[in-house]
Amino acid sequence: MKQRTRALLAGAATVLLFVLVQAGALALVEPFERYQTIEDPTNPLNSVLYIGLLLVATAVMLAVIKYGKQQAIRYVIIATGALVTYYVFSVVGGALAGGGAAALVVLGLLVYPEWYVIDATGVVMGMGAAALFGVSFGVLPALILLVGLAVYDAISVYRTKHMLTLAEGVMDLNVPILFVVPTRLDYSFRDDSTPGAAGDDDDGERDALFIGLGDAVMPTILVASAAFFLDADAILGVPIPALTAAAGTLVGLVVLLREVLAGEAHAGLPLLNGGAILGYLVGALFAGVPLDVALGIADYL
């Protein structure tokens, strides 16, 4: 199969992974209401606090990488994946199903972290995390969060470049911090010693596409928040602005994939979050939602 065709198929598979995360998050928002722990989810300071915590967590991870203790990050991520998996499956099949699924995640990631294990776990983690944040962040906090993270992502990739350092430091841990989409059938993520360096084989052809799990989760927070908090016309029970936010994310993803396939490292959230926000606003206006309500500022006017 020609290189371009393989790359296009991998791009289509990446879009499918994002759709699965979005659809799963939308299905989970109602049952995940039980996990809403923030006293006032409409408070925009929640977003400021979360971004601050993210900066601290990033600094800690960079320090851990600097001192060669990456395995500690691996175990934290595996534990987090197991916890989110438990949340997801427990609302579907009860505590026993949740515990069993969580145990399978831990076993798979520790024993055989191949790309399909990473991706399957990533989809479950992504839909669960997006739903958790979606029910915890009202529309205004979600919008602020997406804008702030898009700016931070651009700075950390293009200016300080510490996000690239962080990515290189954790790529070899074989944990679901990213989606791995092979472009050839014989590709093995476990046997790829430098997956984050170029993603190319000896012939200069790309072995796989790599895109951060956070790139799927962050814009989907707005999708889930709009579905949970916004009162608007709906299609199949989902508010139109939530659906158009999801569509906008996918448009941003297609643009991002074009840039990635050109061989350059790019900040994903400016395109993905920007697409989600633009799609959300277009859908809100189409559904007749007043702009101040769509932005979540009606109570402040």
Side-chain angles (χ1 to χ4, degrees):
M1 188 183 300
K2 293 184 178 180
Q3 179 183 359
R4 178 174 174 79
T5 302
R6 297 191 311 186
L8 290 175
L9 290 174
T14 304
V15 172
L16 176 60
L17 290 172
F18 270 62
V19 171
L20 291 175
V21 170
Q22 293 173 337
L26 287 171
L28 289 170
V29 286
E30 292 297 336
F32 266 31
E33 184 177 5
R34 71 177 73 173
Y35 299 128
Q36 187 187 72
T37 57
I38 295 179
E39 183 176 349
D40 181 10
T42 64
N43 189 342
L45 291 179
N46 296 336
S47 301
V48 178
L49 176 61
Y50 176 80
I51 292 173
L53 291 174
L54 178 64
L55 293 175
V56 172
T58 301
V60 170
M61 292 177 70
L62 288 171
V64 169
I65 291 170
K66 179 179 179 180
Y67 291 102
K69 303 297 184 181
Q70 291 96 320
Q71 287 301 313
I73 298 176
R74 181 172 186 244
Y75 294 129
V76 169
I77 294 174
I78 290 175
T80 302
L83 180 61
V84 175
T85 300
Y86 173 81
Y87 284 161
V88 170
F89 281 90
S90 64
V91 301
V92 176
L96 183 61
L104 286 176
V105 163
V106 173
L107 183 64
L109 293 177
L110 288 177
V111 176
Y112 198 79
E114 192 48 89
W115 62 267
Y116 42 83
V117 176
I118 299 291
D119 288 352
T121 305
V123 167
V124 175
M125 288 180 64
M127 63 174 66
L132 283 169
F133 281 107
V135 301
S136 301
F137 285 76
V139 172
L140 177 59
L143 289 169
I144 294 173
L145 180 67
L146 264 63
V147 171
L149 291 178
V151 173
Y152 169 68
D153 196 31
I155 293 173
S156 64
V157 172
Y158 300 129
R159 296 294 298 272
T160 66
K161 300 186 184 300
H162 69 266
M163 193 60 69
L164 300 178
T165 302
L166 180 61
E168 291 174 358
V170 299
M171 272 297 244
D172 294 333
L173 297 180
N174 294 344
V175 289
I177 57 169
L178 75 169
F179 286 127
V180 183
V181 185
T183 60
R184 55 186 179 84
L185 296 177
D186 61 344
Y187 173 77
S188 173
F189 184 64
R190 296 171 65 234
D191 296 336
D192 192 343
S193 61
T194 56
D200 297 338
D201 62 19
D202 294 334
D203 297 325
E205 293 187 2
R206 183 177 296 272
D207 287 338
L209 294 180
F210 303 95
I211 187 163
L213 180 60
D215 288 339
V217 171
M218 296 309 171
T220 307
I221 292 174
L222 179 59
V223 176
S225 177
F228 188 73
F229 289 100
L230 195 65
D231 183 15
D233 292 341
I235 297 176
L236 298 177
V238 181
I240 290 174
L243 294 174
T244 54
T249 301
L250 298 180
V251 171
L253 175 61
V254 171
V255 176
L256 175 63
L257 288 173
R258 288 187 59 187
E259 299 297 325
V260 170
L261 289 172
E264 298 293 334
H266 285 276
L269 293 184
L271 284 170
L272 296 166
N273 288 2
I277 293 171
L278 181 60
Y280 166 77
L281 292 176
V282 170
L285 293 176
F286 177 80
V289 179
L291 185 59
D292 58 342
V293 175
L295 294 175
I297 60 174
D299 293 337
Y300 298 94
L301 299 178

